Amino acid sequence: VITGVGSETLLISGHGTFSDKNAGTGKTVTVSDVTTLIKSDGTGDWRNYNLVSSGGMTTSADITQAALTVTANAVTKTYDSTLTASGAGTAGALAGAGDVVNNVGQQAFLDKNAGTGKTVRASGVTIKDASNADMTGNYTISYVDNTTSTINKAQLSAALVGSIQKEY
């Protein structure tokens, strides 16, 4: 946005390049190839202005974190008195070019007791780019629980020990 004569406001069109690709606020943006002036309110004549500089302008802008959803997968196991759950969550599409899931994380039951409809939660996913730099901070990771998992009852064997006696 450029302020013109009086209260006139002009919009410019061109290309901008951020100083780096990572999420953050107040990032430097270098504007180049400015080619068009447009009256922002649709009134007046933008042709009353001559664009003097077509490059080298800087401004600042924000890069927001991309949303990433990781969904826990269903698990079936036999009761073992722990919260451990095999497997890892499934990550949605990554936003950054060349970004990959570096650590698939882990899953855990929220309750160790036998039953159906048990909740499993994924956690610990990390993201790297093609140069192996940590990109996890560029994502807001949301974890979606799986509520259809099962912990089967463990088999228990019992045996009588010692001599059996009964009084008449």
Side-chain angles (χ1 to χ4, degrees):
V1 175
I2 299 172
T3 303
V5 174
S7 62
E8 291 185 335
T9 302
L10 301 161
L11 302 175
I12 61 171
S13 152
H15 297 91
T17 305
F18 279 90
S19 56
D20 67 64
K21 66 180 181 178
N22 298 314
T25 58
K27 301 224 164 237
T28 300
V29 178
T30 302
V31 180
S32 60
D33 300 325
V34 177
T35 56
T36 308
L37 288 172
I38 302 168
K39 284 283 293 186
S40 62
D41 64 1
T43 63
D45 192 347
W46 60 267
R47 289 172 284 188
N48 289 325
Y49 298 94
N50 185 23
L51 183 61
V52 177
S53 175
S54 63
M57 295 182 275
T58 61
T59 189
S60 65
D62 301 337
I63 299 176
T64 58
Q65 292 174 308
L68 175 64
T69 301
V70 177
T71 304
N73 290 308
V75 176
T76 299
K77 76 171 192 173
T78 299
Y79 175 77
D80 64 1
S81 79
T82 71
L83 296 174
T84 60
S86 62
T90 302
L94 299 173
D99 286 357
V100 295
V101 174
N102 175 61
N103 178 356
V104 295
Q106 60 276 342
Q107 296 188 144
F109 281 92
L110 299 187
D111 171 12
K112 68 178 183 175
N113 298 311
T116 59
K118 306 297 281 183
T119 300
V120 171
R121 180 168 293 155
S123 64
V125 170
T126 59
I127 311 297
K128 297 264 179 136
D129 70 3
S131 65
N132 207 33
D134 186 4
M135 295 290 112
T136 308
N138 290 327
Y139 291 88
T140 301
I141 302 175
S142 301
Y143 293 95
V144 177
D145 294 343
N146 173 287
T147 58
T148 62
S149 293
T150 301
I151 300 177
N152 294 317
K153 292 181 180 183
Q155 296 298 316
L156 181 62
S157 297
L160 296 174
V161 179
S163 61
I164 302 171
Q165 297 180 9
K166 177 181 176 194
E167 190 174 309
Y168 182 71

